Amino acid sequence: MIRRIPLLLAALLALPAAAQTSPWYLGAALGQSKADSSLVRDREATIGNGNEPNLQSSSDLKDTAGKVFAGYRLSPLFAVEAHWTSLGKQRIDTTFDVPFGLTGRGGVRTDRKTEGYGVDLLAGWEATPGLTLQAKIGAFRTDVTTDTTLSGDTSFADGTDGTFRSVSGNETIVKYGLGAQYAVSKNLAVRLEWERLPDLGKKLETASSGAVGETDYDAWWLGVVFRF
């Protein structure tokens, strides 16, 4: 019994240090988002009958993305995270010949901004000391804002006057991803990850609402994680 006393004292002395390790953490990441080219095809399909003469589009489907997140470690290898994410903007410029038009040409410029918030469940596997491989799945509540600007001899399909329209819409999708996290110190880690956000947005039959596009997004992130 006497021999066990030093072990018990050592265990008791270790309790305050263990209590200082919090399961909470904060993080931030920057990266790049990219929408699938189907967004362009969806845009073109809403112009006239979808095959206007000399219909051409140029697009920029990539942009800088950013997010902030807060997490709680359920166990050494499982965590839940809440986040706010901006996927930046995508732009599509489409021009076409207008049959019987006064100017002969028409144009539609689409600027689409996507952001939102969500919750992810993370599962990890420690490949080597300090290096954890991760997989995630979560729900993402998106806010998609589409700004549509017309030029030339063209108008909105519903006959509304004006050449500009801004429309916002919300929906919830399921997203997933893979990543790796490396502990630089006890309180700081760096994280590299990829996420897929499928079927984001709503496919439309016409351009009358000014909004457009159901498509997949990919996002690549480099971030830091601060552990309390």
Side-chain angles (χ1 to χ4, degrees):
M1 180 66 181
I2 295 177
R3 294 179 179 178
R4 294 180 180 177
I5 291 177
L7 296 177
L8 292 174
L9 290 175
L12 291 174
L13 291 173
L15 286 177
Q20 294 176 1
T21 303
S22 170
W24 293 97
Y25 60 90
L26 297 174
L30 287 175
Q32 184 181 78
S33 65
K34 182 181 183 300
D36 187 79
S37 59
S38 60
L39 188 64
V40 178
R41 296 191 296 270
D42 205 9
R43 169 78 283 179
E44 293 177 345
T46 65
I47 298 175
N49 56 14
N51 58 355
E52 300 300 287
N54 294 320
L55 188 147
Q56 297 177 333
S57 293
S58 61
S59 63
D60 183 1
L61 302 180
K62 298 179 180 179
D63 199 9
T64 300
K67 67 175 176 178
V68 292
F69 54 91
Y72 183 87
R73 294 192 299 275
L74 302 172
S75 72
L77 297 181
F78 289 92
V80 60
E81 288 183 1
H83 64 91
W84 179 88
T85 298
S86 172
L87 296 175
K89 293 183 179 181
Q90 293 76 43
R91 174 176 294 178
I92 305 171
D93 286 297
T94 304
T95 58
F96 49 90
D97 289 343
V98 180
F100 311 108
L102 297 177
T103 64
R105 292 289 288 175
V108 178
R109 172 175 159 177
T110 303
D111 292 290
R112 172 177 162 128
K113 179 181 178 181
T114 304
E115 59 187 20
Y117 58 90
V119 177
D120 296 332
L121 177 64
L122 279 71
W125 172 66
E126 190 174 29
T128 62
L131 177 62
T132 302
L133 304 181
Q134 297 178 330
K136 67 166 59 175
I137 187 169
F140 185 44
R141 179 67 175 176
T142 68
D143 180 10
V144 181
T145 300
T146 304
D147 295 337
T148 303
T149 305
L150 306 182
S151 61
D153 191 16
T154 187
S155 61
F156 288 105
D158 59 5
T160 303
D161 292 334
T163 60
F164 176 82
R165 182 174 295 176
S166 182
V167 177
S168 296
N170 302 100
E171 67 171 332
T172 301
I173 65 168
V174 175
K175 69 183 184 75
Y176 52 90
L178 298 171
Q181 182 168 299
Y182 182 75
V184 179
S185 67
K186 180 180 177 181
N187 299 109
L188 184 66
V190 293
R191 180 187 292 183
L192 178 67
E193 60 183 342
W194 159 83
E195 292 181 331
R196 166 63 61 88
L197 301 94
D199 300 330
L200 198 158
K202 297 181 179 180
K203 185 180 283 293
L204 300 176
E205 298 296 330
T206 70
S208 59
S209 69
V212 64
E214 178 186 85
T215 191
D216 297 337
Y217 279 75
D218 288 295
W220 294 264
W221 304 101
L222 178 62
V224 293
V225 179
F226 178 77
R227 302 166 177 170
F228 297 101

